[in-house]
Amino acid sequence: MKKHLKRLSVFIASSVLFACSTNPNSSSLSQESHLSTTEASSQTSSTESEKDQNVILLETNGELIKNEFEGLWENVAPGGATVYNNHFYFSVRGRGTNSISYTAREYKLDLNNGNLTLIKGYPQSKVRVSDFIEFNGVLYEAITDLQDPSIRFRILADDIEIWTGFSEPQFFVVDDHLLFEGVASIEGQKTDVVCRINPDHSITTLVQSGQDGLGHLFPSPNLSSNRSKVLFTSTKDEKNVYVLVDANGYEIVEQPNHVIYESLLLEDDIFVAYSDRKTPVVVNGNDGNANTDNEYVAISLSTKEVYPVHSSFKQLGNIADVTAIDQSILFHHPKEEGVWKGTLNNQGLVVRKIPGLEPNRYFYIYPIDEQRALFLGFDDDPEGKGARPIFYLVNIK
């Protein structure tokens, strides 16, 4: 339940913040259509400042993802987005009176040239898409048919059902294999599972709750360029543990004996923010926001050794909604404006600001590979009808 509430809060927050609307184009909703933007939308341009050559603005046609459909506003929903094979897959969700946002359209953005393509559109309040991805030429969708009284959660491969379960599946690409996590019925019990989808669309279960004494499996919400493993948290023998899942199985790693605030999978380590206090110390800043005073350690993926990371809370703050690339973390500093990069080096973090990004803008950050990240921000609509998404490619090396 914890993981689904966390996802739901992201979707609701996105709906409140990023509402967009224009006139509908009914022809764009054909499920067989694969629409691209105009030639102008496929061009890229560098930022004007010479010192910011590592930051490239992708010129896309923002109007394509600003639509009004069946009387409901739509908005970009960053919580259900992913990057794979140099494409950014994201959904646009309708915002109505219901507190749950239903997906109306699935898009992909070509990070090589800025081309924006509508993959598929669904009628509002008919189908909810929790995740989707194009993998090896097949469109995989995790959907719920809202007309089905059982409210089953299904995975479709090019519209053919290959799995059903009891929670919204989430996809992961690991070593060029497609994995997903969800809740299945095993021996009559609802059980958390992580599975691999095989080329013939058969399903192989890699790990499940109850196996080796594991409790519920909670995927790490933070994105990482480490695509050889997926990080989960669980319990075993009444202790908190990490579960590292690859394309063939899993291993269990003990967590430090602290109150864990955040865990992040780097290339060679698990970066951990923690507090030794059962009740965290709260410091009220000038903006009225509360911050938790954390400290940091890392766990070597090879030796499983836990070692301290010497960095102050003042440098990092609460590192929620961060992204990992190689041995670095990208994050918004709670006090300093802009996006910052902290690189793990000799049991310490080297922290610096990433130049070329607008300092007062909040970005959603998605790792592309070991050198690049995609930054999604929002601009005010010139007509005052919401927020227009903007995309930056950033070389963070």
Side-chain angles (χ1 to χ4, degrees):
M1 179 62 71
K2 174 183 175 183
K3 58 183 174 184
H4 304 312
L5 291 176
K6 188 164 188 176
R7 285 187 202 158
L8 180 59
S9 67
V10 174
F11 294 160
I12 294 174
S14 300
S15 299
V16 173
L17 293 175
F18 307 133
C20 309
S21 67
T22 59
N23 292 327
N25 183 347
S26 58
S27 63
S28 69
L29 287 178
S30 170
Q31 293 193 16
E32 298 177 356
S33 298
H34 291 267
L35 306 181
S36 61
T37 59
T38 62
E39 291 182 2
S41 70
S42 67
Q43 299 174 354
T44 59
S45 62
S46 299
T47 56
E48 295 179 356
S49 172
E50 292 183 0
K51 68 179 181 179
D52 300 334
Q53 293 301 309
N54 285 340
V55 178
I56 299 176
L57 172 64
L58 277 177
E59 294 288 1
T60 62
N61 182 1
E63 294 300 319
L64 183 61
I65 53 178
K66 290 170 53 186
N67 297 279
E68 186 181 0
F69 177 54
E70 293 186 359
L72 296 178
W73 284 0
E74 292 181 335
N75 51 271
V76 175
T82 187
V83 172
Y84 171 66
N85 196 25
N86 266 318
H87 284 82
F88 178 57
Y89 294 90
F90 65 97
S91 56
V92 175
R93 290 181 167 85
R95 187 172 73 94
T97 56
N98 196 312
S99 61
I100 299 178
S101 299
Y102 298 113
T103 299
R105 292 178 177 87
E106 303 167 1
Y107 289 91
K108 66 176 178 180
L109 173 65
D110 191 327
L111 301 181
N112 294 310
N113 54 29
N115 281 344
L116 190 62
T117 302
L118 173 63
I119 299 176
K120 183 181 283 190
Y122 283 102
Q124 281 284 2
S125 300
K126 302 294 183 183
V127 171
R128 178 178 178 179
V129 181
S130 56
D131 204 0
F132 71 97
I133 192 171
E134 287 181 322
F135 184 78
N136 289 341
V138 177
L139 175 62
Y140 293 92
E141 300 171 280
I143 74 166
T144 309
D145 184 352
L146 300 177
Q147 310 305 306
D148 183 350
S150 68
I151 310 295
R152 293 181 302 155
F153 296 88
R154 302 184 292 163
I155 292 180
L156 306 182
D158 282 343
D159 296 322
I160 299 174
E161 181 179 300
I162 62 173
W163 183 86
T164 61
F166 299 94
S167 73
E168 297 175 327
Q170 180 180 358
F171 295 122
F172 307 94
V173 177
V174 175
D175 282 340
D176 207 30
H177 292 271
L178 186 59
L179 276 56
F180 71 90
E181 62 89 13
V183 176
S185 178
I186 298 179
E187 296 181 355
Q189 299 292 323
K190 292 183 179 180
T191 304
D192 292 341
V193 294
V194 183
C195 301
R196 183 182 70 236
I197 301 177
N198 302 312
D200 62 356
H201 293 159
S202 62
I203 306 297
T204 299
T205 300
L206 300 173
V207 62
Q208 64 190 53
S209 57
Q211 190 172 0
D212 285 336
L214 292 174
H216 293 295
L217 299 168
F218 299 114
S220 170
N222 297 316
L223 301 171
S224 171
S225 65
N226 186 340
R227 291 190 170 91
S228 64
K229 298 178 176 66
V230 184
L231 180 65
F232 289 79
T233 60
S234 185
T235 57
K236 182 180 179 181
D237 300 329
E238 300 183 351
K239 294 183 179 179
N240 294 325
V241 295
Y242 294 114
V243 182
L244 289 168
V245 183
D246 61 25
N248 298 306
Y250 69 98
E251 64 175 322
I252 298 173
V253 178
E254 291 187 7
Q255 286 189 14
N257 187 23
H258 299 293
V259 179
I260 303 298
Y261 173 75
E262 197 71 72
S263 303
L264 187 62
L265 181 62
L266 305 180
E267 196 66 23
D268 301 322
D269 301 88
I270 302 173
F271 182 81
V272 181
Y274 71 92
S275 171
D276 275 328
R277 305 172 182 87
K278 295 295 183 182
T279 304
V281 173
V282 175
V283 179
N284 292 319
N286 294 330
D287 58 359
N289 293 329
N291 295 320
T292 305
D293 191 6
N294 297 320
E295 298 179 62
Y296 314 97
V297 295
I299 304 173
S300 169
L301 293 181
S302 57
T303 67
K304 308 306 181 292
E305 175 190 3
V306 179
Y307 61 90
V309 175
H310 302 294
S311 183
S312 67
F313 175 75
K314 184 177 180 181
Q315 281 185 293
L316 296 182
N318 285 333
I319 57 168
D321 300 320
V322 297
T323 292
I325 292 184
D326 198 9
Q327 287 293 95
S328 299
I329 61 175
L330 308 181
F331 61 96
H332 294 269
H333 197 284
K335 297 297 182 182
E336 303 290 339
E337 292 183 336
V339 179
W340 294 69
K341 171 186 173 182
T343 301
L344 190 60
N345 184 14
N346 295 327
Q347 299 189 1
L349 279 179
V350 179
V351 180
R352 67 174 181 85
K353 188 175 183 178
I354 297 178
L357 294 168
E358 297 161 87
N360 58 348
R361 187 186 300 279
Y362 187 89
F363 289 99
Y364 292 87
I365 311 172
Y366 303 90
I368 300 173
D369 49 38
E370 287 74 19
Q371 296 190 11
R372 299 176 299 155
L374 176 70
F375 286 63
L376 166 62
F378 293 86
D379 236 340
D380 291 335
D381 183 271
E383 299 180 0
K385 294 183 178 180
R388 177 181 180 271
I390 55 174
F391 303 92
Y392 290 96
L393 291 181
V394 180
N395 187 335
I396 58 92
K397 289 296 184 180

